[in-house]
């Protein structure tokens, strides 16, 4: 089955700096890589995703890059703000209709003033 | 707007009790999932269902069962609750294949005494 590793487990950055979270996956058949943000006491919510037919995707201050050869993908947040403080989860799928997402263990991002 | 609801936000049960956690989605999604979330372990899949009366084991199904009698409702059952099942339980739903967005419920924090 799929295995997803996520690093770092905690990350502290100053407001305005960039943050990078990295994930690796094991199944070369995976073709969908979403990122979820979970604020304290709230449900995980999708913030960005990438499919295996592209190498990079951007949405305002967040971007995701994918290296299929190396089987890793990363979340980049620029100009961080206090409201970016949350736990971020990466995930990867197994191709197929009835397949599941396998999640990483999460990164707690703290943006300090 | 997709809505996934869970029957309780907080639940306290005693060892050996039978526990039911209910999840309802209102968007006619085919797939529904139950995860547990523990610090440092991320989101681990317990069971999922891709159709009414269909179920598949996830990564940690031991000690749990599920029921899906109607498309909109997916129940997680702890036949005999144990203290190591104290956790946050998250339900999720997804319209179709694994590249569709997965939406989470607000979670149920279960404490087993």
């Amino acid at each position: 089955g799929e295995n997803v590793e996520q690093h770092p487990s905690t990350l502290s950055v100053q407001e305005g700096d960039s943050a990078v979270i990295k994930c690796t996956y094991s199944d070369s058949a995976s073709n969908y890589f979403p990122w979820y943000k979970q604020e304290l006491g709230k449900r995980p919510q999708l913030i960005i995703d990438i499919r295996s037919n592209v190498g990079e995707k951007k949405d305002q201050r967040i971007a995701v890059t994918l290296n299929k050869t190396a089987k890793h993908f990363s979340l980049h947040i620029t100009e961080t703000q206090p409201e970016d403080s949350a736990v971020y989860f990466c995930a990867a799928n197994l191709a197929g209709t009835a397949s599941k997402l396998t999640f990483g263990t999460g990164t707690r991002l703290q943006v300090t003033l | 707007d997709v809505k996934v609801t869970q029957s309780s936000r907080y639940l306290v049960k005693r060892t050996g009790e039978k526990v039911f956690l209910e999840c309802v989605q209102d968007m006619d999604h085919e797939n529904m999932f139950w995860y547990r979330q523990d610090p440092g372990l991320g989101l681990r899949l317990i069971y999922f269902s891709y159709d009414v009366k269909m179920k598949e084991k996830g990564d940690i199904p031991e000690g749990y069962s599920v029921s899906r009698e109607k498309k909109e409702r997916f129940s997680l059952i702890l036949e005999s609750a144990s203290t190591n099942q104290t956790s946050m339980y998250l339900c999720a739903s997804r319209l179709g294949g694994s590249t569709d967005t997965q939406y989470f419920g607000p979670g149920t924090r279960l404490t087993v005494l």
Side-chain angles (χ1 to χ4, degrees), chain A residues 97-112:
Chain A
T97 302
S99 66
K100 56 182 183 173
L101 291 177
T102 298
F103 285 84
T105 51
T107 296
R108 182 173 297 279
L109 174 64
Q110 182 72 43
V111 180
T112 58

Side-chain angles (χ1 to χ4, degrees), chain A residues 33-82:
Chain A
F33 308 92
W35 286 88
Y36 284 80
K37 175 184 180 182
Q38 186 179 28
E39 296 177 21
L40 190 63
K42 297 193 175 179
R43 70 189 77 194
Q45 292 196 304
L46 180 73
I47 55 170
I48 195 167
D49 57 16
I50 190 168
R51 287 163 172 76
S52 60
N53 57 344
V54 298
E56 184 175 4
K57 184 177 179 180
K58 286 184 180 180
D59 183 3
Q60 299 183 338
R61 294 187 298 108
I62 60 173
V64 57
T65 58
L66 171 65
N67 183 326
K68 285 166 51 182
T69 303
K71 290 191 279 188
H72 65 70
F73 57 112
S74 301
L75 178 71
H76 304 254
I77 306 173
T78 58
E79 301 172 24
T80 54
Q81 300 168 4

Side-chain angles (χ1 to χ4, degrees), chain A residues 31-32 36 38 41 43-44 46 49 51 89 93-101 103-106, chain B residues 4 9 35 37 40-43 45 48 50 59 90 94 96-102 104-106:
Chain A
N31 62 359
Y32 177 64
Y36 284 80
Q38 186 179 28
R43 70 189 77 194
L46 180 73
D49 57 16
R51 287 163 172 76
F89 293 98
N93 72 333
L94 285 172
T97 302
S99 66
K100 56 182 183 173
L101 291 177
F103 285 84
T105 51
Chain B
V4 183
R9 291 301 305 270
Y35 294 87
Q37 181 176 13
L41 298 178
L43 301 168
L45 183 64
F48 66 103
Y50 53 90
D59 300 315
L90 288 163
R94 187 181 78 203
S98 61
T99 57
D100 286 343
T101 300
Q102 194 163 296
F104 283 88

